Amino acid sequence: MRALIPPLGVAFLVLLPACGGGGARGVDLDPGRDLPPEIYQFALTYGIAQLLADACPSLSLDRAGIASVEQALAVEFAEEGWTERMVDDAARNLPEERIAADVFEYIGSNNVVLTEPATYCQAGAREQARDTAIGALLS
């Protein structure tokens, strides 16, 4: 399931310094600090968009859309005091079982049939037509 999780930490490591973040390096995620729901939601959204794009020949990931979301999140986290290391740690420690369950829930509730690429295309087209967070990452 790790293949469905984007390298968020790498993206944030590049973006946070440009946003004024990135204070003390080497500071691990505070065990008492919860994983920001935005990191989880972006990882899930990205993972589903990637799954749809990989299975459907007429879809691809919208790199500009992804970069825009990553930039907005980097600014938000920097403003909240997150260091580069904290974001990287959070991104590397995503709850894989939860992501897997949520991806399978998406597949089931959106009539995606694992062996039928057309169903991935239909799901992607619906996401784009509804202008959802997943659809915004597809082109």
Side-chain angles (χ1 to χ4, degrees):
M1 195 39 118
R2 183 55 103 173
L4 289 180
I5 300 171
L8 291 176
V10 173
F12 289 129
L13 284 172
V14 171
L15 293 171
L16 274 174
C19 302
R25 294 188 68 80
V27 176
D28 291 331
L29 179 64
D30 178 352
R33 194 167 192 175
D34 291 333
L35 174 72
E38 297 89 351
I39 289 180
Y40 178 82
Q41 192 56 48
F42 180 68
L44 179 63
T45 298
Y46 181 102
I48 292 171
Q50 183 174 2
L51 178 70
L52 297 176
D54 287 350
C56 176
S58 64
L59 292 174
S60 62
L61 289 175
D62 179 354
R63 300 292 176 193
I66 292 166
S68 176
V69 173
E70 288 174 335
Q71 178 68 34
L73 288 173
V75 168
E76 180 180 336
F77 292 136
E79 289 172 353
E80 293 177 7
W82 283 77
T83 65
E84 296 170 29
R85 178 67 182 262
M86 292 165 70
V87 172
D88 186 45
D89 288 347
R92 281 187 288 114
N93 292 303
L94 290 165
E96 293 185 28
E97 289 179 12
R98 179 177 164 203
I99 288 177
D102 287 346
V103 168
F104 284 116
E105 180 182 328
Y106 175 88
I107 288 169
S109 65
N110 285 279
N111 301 315
V112 174
V113 178
L114 297 177
T115 58
E116 296 180 23
T119 62
Y120 292 84
C121 297
Q122 293 162 353
R126 279 192 306 272
E127 296 292 347
Q128 289 174 311
R130 294 178 184 153
D131 198 27
T132 66
I134 294 168
L137 302 182
L138 296 170
S139 59

